[in-house]
């Protein structure tokens, strides 16, 4: 469970990222955050793995207030919380396989991770994850030789390899054309259902949100202005 209790975030330049946000997300939910550019969607998502740190309130992930976390707590948090970015964030010159294995880095011991040593189980899991998003045929390709949609599927495979409890996807389809966007959203939805991974996705487009979300959170100027099931959206707009 994720709980925002009166969470606010003011950036050093005075911009209000979040304002008095109160939201509870149950395990296994698929939540889509919508809102115009600058509404606070990215700040909301990035707070959950502490890529940004709220300046007031309490933010609990799995019962713990993550605003108290120092480095060890943050490492563990980021192993539990997988992240998918608009720009894929793959290591361009590395193979797809190596990129996906990086999902295990938080789980391996420090020495092993320094030398990128992975167990047979890690490798089996990486391969299995690639198969789940139908990109196992590209396993030995260099990441930067793949199309955008393929790279985003690799980044989903990397997250699966991490075996997270939560997946955060910050504008995962903003760089993709519509058919490819739908394909990526379908994989995110499938993974959420099959593995019961709580998933939070930022999207620009309300129609795409309506098609895939269980629940929609609408944001404006850092505030939550709508929070409800898809069936309630049309009444609100
Ligand atoms: P969205 O994801 O909906 O586009 P953001 O969370 O990126 O919205 O931005 C919310 C507000 O916080 C905006 O006013 C934006 O300018 C500001 N903001 C976002 N990131 C930073 C940052 N790193 N430093 C200062 N202000 C920021
Ligand atoms: P490095 O550890 O060399 O700084 P990484 O590629 O591991 O670079 O991380 C890049 C950015 O992504 C950092 O800001 C880091 O905090 C963040 N990050 C790393 N791992 C995760 C994760 N599992 N979930 C979310 N964010 C992460």
């Amino acid at each position: 469970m994720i709980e925002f209790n009166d969470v606010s975030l003011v950036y050093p330049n005075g911009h209000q990222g979040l304002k008095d946000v109160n939201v509870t997300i149950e395990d296994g939910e698929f939540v889509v955050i919508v809102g115009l550019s600058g509404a606070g969607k990215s700040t909301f998502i990035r707070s959950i793995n502490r890529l940004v740190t709220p300046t007031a309130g309490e933010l609990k992930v799995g019962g713990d207030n993550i605003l108290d976390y120092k480095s060890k707590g943050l490492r563990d948090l980021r192993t539990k919380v997988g992240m998918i970015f608009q720009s894929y964030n793959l290591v361009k010159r590395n193979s797809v396989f190596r990129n996906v294995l990086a999902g295990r880095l938080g789980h391996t011991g420090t020495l092993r991770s320094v030398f990128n040593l992975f167990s047979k189980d890690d490798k089996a899991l990486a391969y299995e994850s690639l198969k789940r998003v139908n990109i196992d045929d590209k396993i030995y390709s260099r990441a930067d030789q793949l199309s955008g949609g393929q790279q985003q599927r690799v980044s989903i495979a990397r997250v699966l390899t991490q075996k997270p409890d939560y997946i955060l996807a910050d504008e995962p389809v903003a760089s993709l054309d519509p058919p490819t966007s739908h394909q990526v959203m379908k994989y995110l939805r499938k993974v959420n259902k099959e593995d019961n991974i709580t998933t939070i996705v930022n999207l620009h487009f309300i129609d795409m949100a309506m098609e895939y979300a269980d629940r929609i959170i609408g944001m404006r100027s850092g505030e939550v202005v709508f929070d409800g099931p898809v069936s309630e959206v049309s009444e609100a707009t």
Side-chain angles (χ1 to χ4, degrees):
M1 189 160 96
I2 298 172
E3 269 181 276
F4 285 72
N5 295 320
D6 295 320
V7 173
S8 293
L9 187 153
V10 181
Y11 285 103
N13 64 359
H15 282 203
Q16 185 107 36
L18 298 176
K19 188 166 182 228
D20 300 327
V21 170
N22 286 289
V23 165
T24 300
I25 296 171
E26 302 291 343
D27 291 343
E29 279 196 82
F30 193 97
V31 179
V32 175
I33 320 280
V34 295
L36 300 176
S37 179
K41 305 183 295 295
S42 177
T43 305
F44 181 93
I45 280 219
R46 284 163 189 256
S47 293
I48 298 168
N49 68 354
R50 284 278 311 271
L51 288 181
V52 296
T53 303
T55 46
E58 183 185 66
L59 175 46
K60 289 187 175 176
V61 177
D64 266 10
N65 185 5
I66 64 163
L67 304 187
D68 295 335
Y69 282 175
K70 304 276 187 293
S71 54
K72 163 84 168 76
L74 288 180
R75 267 199 307 280
D76 292 347
L77 175 70
R78 288 171 187 159
T79 302
K80 270 201 305 200
V81 181
M83 186 86 190
I84 291 172
F85 300 92
Q86 173 178 352
S87 48
Y88 328 122
N89 286 26
L90 301 178
V91 181
K92 292 182 172 40
R93 292 168 177 281
N94 282 355
S95 68
V96 163
F97 195 40
R98 230 182 135 83
N99 269 287
V100 172
L101 276 168
R104 297 311 293 166
L105 283 174
H107 299 271
T108 55
T110 310
L111 192 62
R112 292 183 76 85
S113 78
V114 166
F115 293 105
N116 272 307
L117 294 172
F118 297 99
S119 67
K120 265 204 163 79
D121 286 349
D122 288 343
K123 290 178 185 169
L125 181 58
Y127 181 65
E128 200 50 43
S129 303
L130 283 166
K131 273 176 76 161
R132 290 183 66 189
V133 291
N134 275 314
I135 194 86
D136 47 305
D137 57 325
K138 299 287 185 198
I139 186 163
Y140 296 120
S141 300
R142 248 175 64 161
D144 58 4
Q145 289 170 339
L146 306 189
S147 70
Q150 290 172 331
Q151 290 193 50
Q152 198 58 300
R153 274 146 65 197
V154 171
S155 94
I156 295 173
R158 178 178 58 190
V159 158
L160 286 174
T161 304
Q162 189 180 326
K163 289 243 167 226
D165 296 333
Y166 308 90
I167 291 177
L168 309 175
D170 196 2
E171 299 279 4
V173 301
S175 304
L176 303 173
D177 61 32
T180 312
S181 298
H182 282 286
Q183 192 185 47
V184 164
M185 287 304 293
K186 280 182 186 141
Y187 280 118
L188 285 173
R189 190 68 235 213
K190 178 172 102 128
V191 164
N192 158 260
K193 279 266 178 292
E194 287 176 355
D195 296 5
N196 200 41
I197 304 174
T198 312
T199 305
I200 306 173
V201 184
N202 282 349
L203 291 178
H204 261 78
F205 300 114
I206 185 77
D207 52 344
M208 182 92 81
M210 302 272 286
E211 191 167 341
Y212 295 99
D214 293 327
R215 168 180 174 187
I216 292 182
I217 293 177
M219 295 190 71
R220 189 196 302 139
S221 309
E223 293 185 88
V224 171
V225 293
F226 176 86
D227 182 359
V230 168
S231 58
E232 282 175 16
V233 172
S234 47
E235 295 159 34
T237 51

